[in-house]
Amino acid sequence: MPRQVFFYDQPERFVAGTVGQPGARAFYLQASARGRITSVLLEKTQVAALAERIEEVLDEALRRSGGDAAIPATAPVDLLDTAPLDLPLEQEFRVGTMALAWDSIDARLVVEAQAVIEDEDDEDGEDGENAAEAVFEDDENGPDMLRVRLTGAMARVFAKRALDLVAAGRKPCPFCNLPLDPEGHLCPRANGYRR
């Protein structure tokens, strides 16, 4: 089956969002433009890593341009998006590999999220080292992909919302740093006693 590439060049909206209560949340990336919505499922750690890496890429692009790039130092307050995910929420795929690139010619951040693939090579002991390199390739038989091109300001807004979203989860245990449930948890630092 040929790959589907869900492409958004400067979408009206690109956000990370959740469904469910802390401790049982499902995390999504969602892009929308002109009445079209694409939602992909991913892990909380992927959201955090993506947001942190976006901040790093933007900071580096701003540094290399000598401050001339159209990238704000922080997320513009007037562009912040706190609205919930758009409905209907229909998952296109689960994200496996992600990639970022700064297009210095158009001053755009390119975010690509590729679907998880069940690779026969993994069974033979290979760990998929080339998976990240394959994300930017447009193999028509490859896994489905969400590709989004963002301005520097929109990328900063995405990263801020994503980091806030990750931080809004369950509070960490002060002893072991694992998430606390309302009922407490079995803390490894307390030798398995409930805290």
Side-chain angles (χ1 to χ4, degrees):
M1 174 182 246
R3 122 189 282 180
Q4 282 188 288
V5 177
F6 302 94
F7 179 64
Y8 290 84
D9 191 4
Q10 298 185 55
E12 295 164 8
R13 187 172 193 225
F14 181 60
V15 296
T18 62
V19 174
Q21 296 299 315
R25 296 186 295 175
F27 287 78
Y28 291 89
L29 293 181
Q30 189 176 74
S32 59
R34 294 181 220 78
R36 184 172 65 117
I37 301 171
T38 302
S39 303
V40 296
L41 182 68
L42 71 169
E43 298 295 325
K44 178 180 180 178
T45 55
Q46 289 175 299
V47 173
L50 177 62
E52 290 166 4
R53 188 67 184 126
I54 285 174
E55 290 285 3
E56 291 170 6
V57 168
L58 294 176
D59 290 344
E60 180 65 16
L62 191 58
R63 186 189 67 75
R64 286 186 180 197
S65 73
D68 294 336
I71 303 170
T74 61
V77 177
D78 57 324
L79 296 179
L80 292 178
D81 182 350
T82 58
L85 294 171
D86 292 327
L87 298 176
L89 186 61
E90 297 174 2
Q91 171 188 327
E92 298 296 338
F93 57 84
R94 177 179 285 276
V95 174
T97 305
M98 294 185 293
L100 293 175
W102 178 254
D103 179 351
S104 58
I105 295 170
D106 293 333
R108 297 288 182 263
L109 180 75
V110 181
V111 179
E112 293 190 350
Q114 182 174 282
V116 171
I117 52 174
E118 301 300 326
D119 193 7
E120 294 174 8
D121 292 338
D122 288 343
E123 294 173 10
D124 297 333
E126 294 184 19
D127 61 1
E129 293 175 6
N130 297 327
E133 294 173 11
V135 174
F136 284 110
E137 295 177 10
D138 282 330
D139 178 7
E140 69 179 48
N141 294 320
D144 292 347
M145 179 188 299
L146 171 64
R147 179 180 292 149
V148 182
R149 292 174 45 85
L150 304 169
T151 63
M154 194 166 192
R156 289 280 191 206
V157 168
F158 171 86
K160 178 171 180 10
R161 176 182 168 129
L163 290 171
D164 290 348
L165 184 72
V166 169
R170 296 175 289 168
K171 300 293 180 211
C173 172
F175 301 105
C176 68
N177 217 26
L178 293 174
L180 285 172
D181 293 322
E183 307 83 36
H185 77 121
L186 296 178
C187 182
R189 286 260 171 115
N191 293 327
Y193 289 100
R194 189 168 290 281
R195 290 212 183 251

